[in-house]
Every structure is written in structure tokens, then in C-alpha cells.
Amino acid sequence: KVLTPKSRSIDHIVAVTKGGTNDIWNLVPCDITLNRSKNNKDLATWLKEKGLYTEELISRLAEWEEYAKNNLI
């Protein structure tokens, strides 16, 4: 899905209410409707509920976190 100025938001991979931070590694662009449906759920649980969970996606998110922590902070 293409994000537009009206449909985009920033999602916390780990919700702030669950101990997540506003660090770059914990932030991803997201469709606002999907972001609202995730709320403060655990990412893997939410992905499974939506039928979007794949090991590849989880692996790519882990790679992003490692890259961001080592290169952007």
C-alpha cells in the first residue's frame, strides 16, 4: 500500500506503554488504519492476527533494529 500524507503515521514497533522508546530503531512508517488497529499489541501477535506474520518480516525488523542502533544513534 502506498502511504500518502493523509494515510501515513509513525508506529512504535514496541509500544511506549510496553517499554518502547522514541529511538529511531523503534519507529517505522505505517498506514494510520493499521497503526490504530495495532494499538499497543505485541508486534508478532498483531501480525499473526492480521495474517501478515512471516519469519522474513521479523528477521528484517531485527536487521533494521541492529542497523539503526549501530549506525544512527
Side-chain angles (χ1 to χ4, degrees), residues 2-16:
V2 176
L3 297 177
T4 67
K6 289 188 177 191
S7 71
R8 68 182 176 214
S9 69
I10 301 295
D11 181 40
H12 291 82
I13 296 170
V14 177
V16 173

Side-chain angles (χ1 to χ4, degrees), residues 4-64:
T4 67
K6 289 188 177 191
S7 71
R8 68 182 176 214
S9 69
I10 301 295
D11 181 40
H12 291 82
I13 296 170
V14 177
V16 173
T17 60
K18 304 279 182 165
T21 66
N22 288 316
D23 293 323
I24 189 74
W25 67 265
N26 193 43
L27 303 173
V28 292
C30 184
D31 175 80
I32 196 165
T33 303
L34 291 174
N35 193 3
R36 286 179 181 154
S37 74
K38 180 177 171 271
N39 196 8
N40 69 346
K41 295 177 185 169
D42 169 73
L43 179 62
T45 301
W46 178 81
L47 288 169
K48 288 175 184 175
E49 287 176 2
K50 293 291 184 184
L52 301 171
Y53 181 93
T54 65
E55 289 295 329
E56 178 186 0
L57 178 57
I58 297 301
S59 176
R60 290 177 73 186
L61 287 169
E63 289 172 9
W64 160 246

